[in-house]
């Protein structure tokens, strides 16, 4: 077990990334944590907070942001909610996209990428 210098959590010795914060162990000489740029990749999953936020803002009523994040059930539920509410669900998705832009990469990763919930809204 080795300790992540960014979040101080313990991970396997063979891990290339920290499971908790996305810190890369590959370039241990540079020892820099993952940046907080919205379009940086958040961890080993390869998901970007900025891309997910833009998808939520522009196409949120169709649940495209959930399909991008790998949450197919949430994407289908979002489509159904848009149909049932005559498109009013898009307002909730717009707010969700704005909140995604306001959070840090670590918060985004914990809430939307590594969260076991099948329908993370806020």
């Amino acid at each position: 077990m080795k300790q992540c210098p960014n979040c101080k959590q313990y991970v396997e010795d063979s891990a290339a990334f920290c499971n908790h914060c996305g810190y890369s162990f590959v370039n241990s000489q540079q020892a820099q944590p993952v940046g907080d740029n919205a379009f940086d990749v958040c961890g080993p999953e390869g998901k970007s907070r900025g891309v997910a936020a833009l998808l939520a803002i522009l196409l949120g009523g169709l649940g495209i942001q959930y399909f991008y994040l790998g949450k197919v059930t949430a994407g289908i539920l979002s489509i159904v909610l848009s149909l049932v509410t005559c498109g009013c669900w898009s307002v909730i998705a717009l707010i969700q996209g704005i909140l995604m832009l306001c959070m840090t990469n670590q918060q985004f990763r914990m809430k939307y990428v590594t969260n076991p919930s099948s329908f993370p809204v806020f």
Side-chain angles (χ1 to χ4, degrees):
M1 299 293 286
K2 59 185 171 183
Q3 188 176 18
C4 174
N6 190 30
C7 68
K8 308 297 184 218
Q9 298 291 325
Y10 288 96
V11 295
E12 296 291 325
D13 287 330
S14 60
F17 292 93
C18 175
N19 295 336
H20 304 282
C21 69
Y23 177 83
S24 174
F25 294 110
V26 177
N27 295 329
S28 59
Q29 301 90 345
Q30 295 177 353
Q32 295 178 0
V34 174
D36 204 30
N37 183 355
F39 291 96
D40 283 344
V41 174
C42 297
E45 296 87 6
K47 304 302 178 195
S48 168
R49 173 174 58 105
V51 172
L54 286 177
L55 288 173
I57 290 170
L58 299 175
L59 300 169
L62 299 175
I64 303 300
Q65 74 275 20
Y66 291 118
F67 290 112
Y68 171 73
L69 295 171
K71 310 256 184 210
V72 178
T73 305
I76 293 170
L77 280 173
S78 188
I79 292 171
V80 170
L81 284 170
S82 285
L83 291 174
V84 170
T85 62
C86 298
C88 291
W89 178 254
S90 299
V91 174
I92 301 295
L94 173 71
I95 295 169
Q96 181 184 31
I98 293 169
L99 289 175
M100 282 181 187
L101 284 176
C102 294
M103 61 180 53
T104 65
N105 284 341
Q106 185 175 3
Q107 291 171 333
F108 168 77
R109 187 166 179 267
M110 289 186 334
K111 181 155 188 75
Y112 294 104
V113 180
T114 60
N115 188 357
S117 173
S118 59
F119 193 50
V121 179
F122 294 116

